Each structure stands twice: as structure tokens, then as C-alpha cells.
Amino acid sequence: MVTETAPPAKAHRPARHSPPAFNLRRLAIHCGLAIVALGFVTPLIIVLSASFSSESAITDNGYSPLPQRFSATAYRYVLGDPGKIVQAYGVSILVTVTGTIVSLTIMSMLAYTLSRNDYRLRRPLSFYVLFTMIFNGGLVPTYILITQYLHLQNTLLVLVLPYVVTPWYLLLLRTYFSQLPKDIMDAARIDGAGEWRVFTGIVLPLSKPALATVGLFVMLLYWNDWWLGLLYITDDRLAPLQLYLYRILTNIDYAASNSQLAGTTIAIPIQTVRMAVAVLAIGPIVAAFFFIQRFLIRGIALGGLKD
């Protein structure tokens, strides 16, 4: 009797995938993002390069990523009085740090209040905030209020208070707070936590990306502001950095235009001084960005606004 034996089963081999196509697509995406990033970084490199170039090289050859005929003349013009620029840096740093902390504290508390659906004055208060985004009192009434009634001229408070509550950033925080899980907050209230405990112990720790993002925007707002100083600061000791650099540019342009009208030629490095001013103005903010960029990336999409 002959017995038929079944052919041995073939060993199961895992299906081969084709990683090259996936890697090629990933490489293409990375190359595209690298090109975009290079497009953003190139202007900064050109500005830095031009600040260390000679005025004649820029006039003859234009701007380039590398310094042409290396020269620090522009920085000697800007840093001619080191004491004043250090003082201006101190004023800007003090105003920026104080304003950012105060602004985040007040806006986060107000945004949490507006995010509560059971708050009876939620809609009227939201309307009041939105109204200020559309209408304001005007420049002349605001100037009279600050100088004649509040007496804030030539004080550091006049550089801080106008930006303490920015409606757009307030609405961003309110939207983020309204999307936080309500179950955790209800559980904390059942355990006996008050609203302040819920806000400081649950809402703020869960909102670090939003707070870091809004904090960076507020920091930029305070650091780059020169308009308030131009209106309300006449004391040179209280001039912020941006106002101090603005006055340097104004004086250089005025000197250059007067020399041309008088028929004389004064070698003033106008173009390189402008680049040096830009480097001194944005340098600290660029350095601060690297410390909070991970929070900025996580919090840049705060969601759409909703009632």
C-alpha cells in the first residue's frame, strides 16, 4: 500500500516592502523644507554680512552672503556712545520682561473667565473685548488722556500699560482654554479645589504651548515698539532700544541730506549703519526664539475662534 505524502509546506516569508520609494519621498519633503528654511534665513545672513562690509563695496557690488571688504565702521557709528546703548538695552529688557509677565498674567486670567460657559457676564465682556479691536479713541484723545490725566509721560509705565491686554492674543488664549478637558476640572472641583486652584494647578500647566506662543508674540510686541517712546518719552535716559536706534538713523539721514544740499560730501555709511541697527535690534529676539521654539511649534495651531 503506497501512501502519498503531502509536499512540505513552504516556510512563510514576510512580504518584502519597498522602502526606497518611501525614503525618496521623505528625502524630497526634507529637501523642500530645507529650501524654504534657507529662503527665510538668507535675508538674515545678508543683513549680517552687509553690516560688516564697507559702504563702497555695497555701492559697487551690491549685497552678498559674505562680507565684502570687511569693515566695522557701521558698528563704530552705532556704538559711538556705549553707555547710552547699554542703557537703552536695559530699558528695553526691563520693559519687555515686565510687560510680558504682566500681560500674560492678566490675559490668562481674563481668558479663563471668558472660556467658562457658566459665567453670566461672558458675552458682554467678550463683546467689550471685540469692540476694542474695531474701534479706539484716536491718537489725540489717547495722548491727552495719558499726558494730562494719567500723567504717565516720561515713565516706564507708559511703555508697558498700553499693551497689557491685546484682544487678539486674549481670544487665542480663550479658545485654547475652552478646548481643555472639562472632566479633569470637574473632578478637581468635586475634590474641593476652588477656581483659583483649578486655574493654577490644572489650566496653566496644560496650557504651556499656548502661553509660550502668546508670550513670544507679546515679547516681540514690546521689544519692537518704538512708537510709544516716540510719543511719550522725551527723557533720553528712558528711551528704549528701538527708539534710540531710530534716532541714530534719523540723525544720519539728516546729516547726509544736509551735506548734499550744501554741496559737500561726508562719508557716512548709511547702508551699513542700517544693517548694523537691524542686527542689534533683532539679535536678542533671535536668541530668545531658540529657547521657546518647541513650545511655539506645539502651540502655533490654537484652533479656530468660537463663541
Side-chain angles (χ1 to χ4, degrees):
M1 180 176 172
V2 179
T3 58
E4 296 180 359
T5 58
K10 295 181 179 181
H12 177 71
R13 295 181 180 179
R16 292 184 177 179
H17 298 283
S18 55
F22 174 77
N23 290 340
L24 184 60
R25 183 178 61 183
R26 190 173 183 179
L27 179 62
I29 293 175
H30 286 180
C31 291
L33 294 177
I35 293 174
V36 173
L38 183 62
F40 285 106
V41 175
T42 300
L44 299 179
I45 297 176
I46 292 177
V47 168
L48 181 62
S49 170
S51 67
F52 286 102
S53 300
S54 66
E55 186 77 8
S56 59
I58 293 180
T59 303
D60 297 338
N61 306 321
Y63 298 98
S64 68
L66 296 177
Q68 305 177 68
R69 303 175 197 168
F70 184 88
S71 173
T73 305
Y75 288 96
R76 284 197 292 268
Y77 267 87
V78 178
L79 303 177
D81 191 346
K84 287 187 177 181
I85 196 166
V86 169
Q87 188 176 43
Y89 263 110
V91 172
S92 289
I93 292 173
L94 178 61
V95 169
T96 301
V97 173
T98 304
T100 302
I101 293 175
V102 174
S103 179
L104 273 182
T105 301
I106 295 178
M107 285 198 298
S108 61
M109 292 190 294
L110 181 55
Y112 174 68
T113 303
L114 296 178
S115 67
R116 294 286 306 275
N117 294 327
D118 55 348
Y119 180 54
R120 291 184 296 178
L121 299 179
R122 175 173 174 265
R123 288 187 177 275
L125 195 56
S126 298
F127 174 77
Y128 177 78
V129 173
L130 288 171
F131 186 83
T132 59
M133 293 180 62
I134 305 173
F135 302 99
N136 58 55
L139 179 59
V140 174
T142 302
Y143 183 84
I144 294 174
L145 174 67
I146 290 178
T147 58
Q148 303 298 324
Y149 291 92
L150 300 180
H151 302 288
L152 294 178
Q153 190 174 18
N154 284 326
T155 63
L156 293 180
L157 285 177
V158 77
L159 302 177
V160 175
L161 293 181
Y163 298 139
V164 164
V165 177
T166 306
W168 174 247
Y169 302 146
L170 175 64
L171 295 178
L172 290 180
L173 288 176
R174 186 202 67 171
T175 302
Y176 194 93
F177 291 162
S178 63
Q179 295 175 353
L180 295 177
K182 300 295 189 298
D183 297 339
I184 301 178
M185 304 179 197
D186 294 338
R189 295 188 185 98
I190 293 174
D191 291 339
E195 289 299 331
W196 180 253
R197 177 62 177 171
V198 172
F199 175 69
T200 57
I202 298 177
V203 175
L204 292 184
L206 293 177
S207 304
K208 288 181 180 179
L211 294 174
T213 303
V214 173
L216 177 62
F217 292 152
V218 174
M219 187 188 307
L220 289 172
L221 181 64
Y222 277 110
W223 181 264
N224 292 327
D225 180 68
W226 57 272
W227 177 245
L228 293 178
L230 184 64
L231 289 178
Y232 305 115
I233 299 297
T234 58
D235 188 352
D236 292 339
R237 296 173 300 175
L238 300 177
L241 177 66
Q242 306 296 342
L243 179 61
Y244 178 76
L245 297 178
Y246 171 79
R247 288 174 177 173
I248 290 178
L249 291 178
T250 303
N251 293 337
I252 289 178
D253 291 339
Y254 179 77
S257 62
N258 279 359
S259 64
Q260 293 175 358
L261 292 176
T264 59
T265 302
I266 300 178
I268 300 178
I270 299 178
Q271 298 296 330
T272 54
V273 166
R274 288 175 178 172
M275 299 301 134
V277 166
V279 171
L280 294 174
I282 67 175
I285 287 297
V286 173
F289 172 78
F290 289 102
F291 291 97
I292 59 177
Q293 61 176 336
R294 62 188 183 95
F295 294 108
L296 178 64
I297 295 172
R298 290 172 53 191
I300 199 66
L302 296 179
L305 297 179
K306 62 181 182 179
D307 294 331

